[in-house]
Amino acid sequence: TDTAFTASRMGKIPMFDNRPIGLFDSGIGGLTVFKSLLHALPHESFVYLGDTARLPYGSKSPQTIERYVLQNIDFLIRKNVKAIVVACNSASTVLLGGTKSFAVPVYNVIEPGAATALKATSGKKIGVLGTKATISAKSYVRALHALDSSVQVFQQACPLLVPLVEEGWESDPITNLVVYRYVAPLIDAGVDTLIMGCTHYPALRTNLEKATAGRMTLVDSSEAIANLIAADIASGRFGASEMRSDLEIMTTDVSASFSEVAIRLMAPHVIPPLVEVDISPLAP
Amino acid sequence: TDTAFTASRMGKIPMFDNRPIGLFDSGIGGLTVFKSLLHALPHESFVYLGDTARLPYGSKSPQTIERYVLQNIDFLIRKNVKAIVVACNSASTVLLGGTKSFAVPVYNVIEPGAATALKATSGKKIGVLGTKATISAKSYVRALHALDSSVQVFQQACPLLVPLVEEGWESDPITNLVVYRYVAPLIDAGVDTLIMGCTHYPALRTNLEKATAGRMTLVDSSEAIANLIAADIASGRFGASEMRSDLEIMTTDVSASFSEVAIRLMAPHVIPPLVEVDISPLAP
């Protein structure tokens, strides 16, 4: 089943490849990436894994996150996917630099987001909002400086934004106050481009536009990933699907609130039925 | 080492028992219980386990929480404790009703909190603030109705309060707004006694007093547990310590933010050095 991938590396023209693209996140935030890919790649099938039994990753150590990430990738490869999108910034952090290799292409959300931000910035002052793990790992700082060492990066950890989205308070004035509290230092610093460095944050795009008075370009990594996948298909890295046949959402733990929030984040798409899966046989 | 416990059940006078009392929580919130027990039981030694690798429990299913709770209890028993306090409401939920038995006495936070609230209420209208898991499991509703079926209980899930405490925003006006948003329906319902049904919430006592204009009695379960343990020692259920010899905090994952928040929650106590432990060999 690796034929298409191998063929492309040998320079041959790839066949169609109807296997799905896999995505995973610690929970629900990656659904904003899922939604974006559904729009951008209308022929592709997708399977989404929400590792809800172990969420959130954002507050855990790099060693623990890495163990979870490798288990999730292994699980999706056994689900016969042709490529994997790590739809979670905290999880993407441990894959930076491309030192690990897998049986299928694995996309992180950080590097495409960083590249997009660099294209967008006029004054070379880029802001990054993220979870504690993403910020303390300096993931975007490293990815940005690997591409352009002259850019200035201003980071802000925002632990309240995920629970505000999950509470469904996007339209509540309290959310605007919290968002403003977090972006105020970045406004003062003269940031012109702002990376939404957590997959929950695109749900707060309107609040962020309001708080920054529309003066910052907001970067959503999922758009960059969709473009990258389309380019890799075009260049023959792996085959395209003939038509979408399957959408699946799996979680490692059942939770009533997951489907409730999922319905909101995925609207107007109808979410497929949730399937609980056990990936624990692989746990060390 | 079970002699003291066994002796008390046989009606004999127990010996001193210098083994520590164990506490555990999914993370850091249980430190408010730890602090309260340190004050109330000045001769006892304690070991605290924060299961930070798998936090938070509040958003997970009862089956998953139960598995974690049994593993933590097993780990603490192997650490040679003489009693265990489940310093987490979500974890306590799975132990309600006393259907499980262990080698040492195990205290949950819910039943003592419920009993205290019933003693305090004048109008038999009790409010409960908690995580999603505690509220959807109706833990306090069940514990209260088991004691008095005529009491009216009004529940409110408060997913933002834990991150607000961990952010250190107790004195921020935003926190007062959020707290008020959550308690307003309970004020309207005429609640006179309010259970702080999550171990983080005692850190917000001042905000809760402000939001309720001082008209509700606030119930902190950790005080009730300390009284219960003192009574059990007096009645010979297990032996008292001659003097405090040991305090230990163990976590299942290292995290810089844990010690930062721990220092704030435990002040003015100085926290002992954090030790990372692996309880995973027990995982099924």
Side-chain angles (χ1 to χ4, degrees):
Chain A
T1 52
D2 283 335
T3 325
F5 183 45
T6 313
S8 73
R9 301 184 61 154
M10 307 294 287
K12 292 182 201 150
I13 295 161
M15 310 291 289
F16 278 118
D17 186 339
N18 291 321
R19 292 179 297 167
I21 294 171
L23 296 89
F24 74 88
D25 179 26
S26 56
I28 207 155
L31 290 176
T32 64
V33 179
F34 190 15
K35 186 177 173 180
S36 189
L37 296 184
L38 282 177
H39 276 293
L41 302 165
H43 292 278
E44 297 297 330
S45 296
F46 295 94
V47 296
Y48 180 93
L49 172 67
D51 188 11
T52 48
R54 305 190 288 196
L55 70 79
Y57 290 178
S59 52
K60 301 200 169 71
S61 72
Q63 295 77 10
T64 298
I65 298 174
E66 178 168 342
R67 194 169 75 241
Y68 294 173
V69 165
L70 298 180
Q71 286 168 359
N72 295 342
I73 288 175
D74 194 37
F75 174 81
L76 286 171
I77 288 174
R78 284 185 294 129
K79 279 277 170 187
N80 200 26
V81 298
K82 64 183 173 187
I84 293 173
V85 176
V86 184
C88 170
N89 285 268
S90 308
S92 290
T93 297
V94 304
L95 297 176
L96 288 188
T99 49
K100 293 191 181 58
S101 70
F102 302 99
V104 300
V106 174
Y107 298 88
N108 70 72
V109 282
I110 291 172
E111 283 158 339
T116 305
L118 275 175
K119 267 178 231 147
T121 185
S122 51
K124 291 208 172 186
K125 289 189 171 183
I126 296 176
V128 181
L129 306 179
T131 63
K132 281 191 181 178
T134 302
I135 297 307
S136 70
K138 297 192 170 63
S139 317
Y140 281 97
V141 180
R142 289 189 282 147
L144 287 162
H145 283 163
L147 297 169
D148 181 347
S149 59
S150 72
V151 75
Q152 278 185 279
V153 190
F154 301 87
Q155 299 197 108
Q156 177 65 51
C158 310
L160 281 161
L161 299 189
V162 167
L164 283 166
V165 170
E166 299 201 344
E167 197 61 328
W169 288 14
E170 293 92 334
S171 310
D172 193 302
I174 286 176
T175 304
N176 289 331
L177 289 172
V178 174
V179 167
Y180 184 74
R181 184 72 43 98
Y182 285 137
V183 299
L186 306 181
I187 294 172
D188 291 347
V191 160
D192 61 62
T193 300
L194 184 61
I195 297 174
M196 297 186 283
C198 167
T199 52
H200 277 77
Y201 299 172
L204 299 173
R205 181 182 271 275
T206 307
N207 313 73
L208 285 163
E209 280 166 354
K210 202 174 288 182
T212 58
R215 292 204 194 101
M216 295 187 194
T217 306
L218 299 181
V219 175
D220 179 348
S221 298
S222 63
E223 293 162 14
I225 288 182
N227 293 338
L228 202 56
I229 291 177
D232 278 357
I233 288 174
S235 75
R237 191 174 183 203
F238 54 91
S241 243
E242 289 163 291
M243 61 176 289
R244 179 171 295 162
S245 60
D246 198 24
L247 291 179
E248 202 176 338
I249 299 183
M250 299 170 293
T251 60
T252 53
D253 190 18
V254 280
S255 142
S257 66
F258 184 97
S259 55
E260 201 182 282
V261 182
I263 288 164
R264 270 195 286 114
L265 287 186
M266 293 290 285
H269 293 275
V270 174
I271 64 163
L274 305 182
V275 180
E276 194 190 355
V277 293
D278 186 2
I279 62 169
S280 66
L282 296 169
Chain B
T1 53
D2 282 334
T3 324
F5 184 45
T6 313
S8 76
R9 301 184 61 155
M10 306 295 288
K12 291 181 201 150
I13 295 161
M15 310 290 289
F16 278 118
D17 188 338
N18 291 320
R19 292 178 297 167
I21 295 171
L23 295 88
F24 74 87
D25 179 26
S26 56
I28 205 155
L31 290 177
T32 64
V33 179
F34 191 15
K35 186 177 172 180
S36 189
L37 295 185
L38 280 177
H39 276 293
L41 302 166
H43 292 278
E44 297 297 330
S45 296
F46 295 94
V47 297
Y48 181 93
L49 172 67
D51 189 11
T52 47
R54 306 190 287 197
L55 69 79
Y57 290 179
S59 51
K60 302 199 168 72
S61 72
Q63 295 76 14
T64 298
I65 298 174
E66 180 168 340
R67 195 169 74 241
Y68 294 172
V69 165
L70 298 180
Q71 286 167 359
N72 294 343
I73 288 175
D74 194 36
F75 174 81
L76 286 171
I77 288 174
R78 285 184 294 128
K79 278 277 170 189
N80 200 28
V81 298
K82 64 182 172 187
I84 292 173
V85 176
V86 184
C88 169
N89 284 270
S90 307
S92 290
T93 296
V94 302
L95 297 175
L96 289 187
T99 49
K100 293 190 182 59
S101 69
F102 302 98
V104 300
V106 174
Y107 298 89
N108 71 71
V109 282
I110 291 172
E111 283 158 338
T116 305
L118 274 176
K119 268 179 228 145
T121 184
S122 52
K124 290 208 170 183
K125 288 188 171 181
I126 296 175
V128 181
L129 307 179
T131 62
K132 280 191 183 177
T134 302
I135 297 307
S136 69
K138 296 191 170 67
S139 316
Y140 281 97
V141 180
R142 288 188 284 146
L144 287 162
H145 283 163
L147 297 169
D148 182 346
S149 60
S150 72
V151 75
Q152 278 185 279
V153 189
F154 302 87
Q155 298 197 107
Q156 178 65 50
C158 310
L160 281 162
L161 299 190
V162 167
L164 282 166
V165 171
E166 300 202 342
E167 196 63 326
W169 289 13
E170 293 92 334
S171 310
D172 192 303
I174 286 176
T175 303
N176 290 331
L177 288 172
V178 174
V179 166
Y180 184 73
R181 184 74 41 98
Y182 285 136
V183 299
L186 306 182
I187 294 171
D188 291 347
V191 160
D192 61 62
T193 300
L194 185 60
I195 297 174
M196 297 186 282
C198 167
T199 52
H200 277 76
Y201 300 171
L204 299 173
R205 181 182 272 275
T206 307
N207 313 74
L208 286 164
E209 280 167 354
K210 202 175 285 180
T212 59
R215 292 205 194 99
M216 294 186 195
T217 306
L218 300 181
V219 175
D220 178 348
S221 298
S222 62
E223 293 163 14
I225 287 181
N227 293 338
L228 203 55
I229 290 177
D232 279 357
I233 287 174
S235 76
R237 192 175 183 201
F238 55 90
S241 245
E242 288 163 290
M243 60 174 290
R244 179 172 296 162
S245 61
D246 198 25
L247 292 179
E248 203 176 338
I249 299 183
M250 300 169 292
T251 60
T252 52
D253 190 18
V254 280
S255 142
S257 66
F258 184 96
S259 54
E260 200 183 285
V261 183
I263 287 165
R264 270 196 285 112
L265 286 187
M266 293 290 285
H269 293 276
V270 175
I271 64 162
L274 305 180
V275 180
E276 195 190 355
V277 293
D278 186 3
I279 61 169
S280 66
L282 297 167

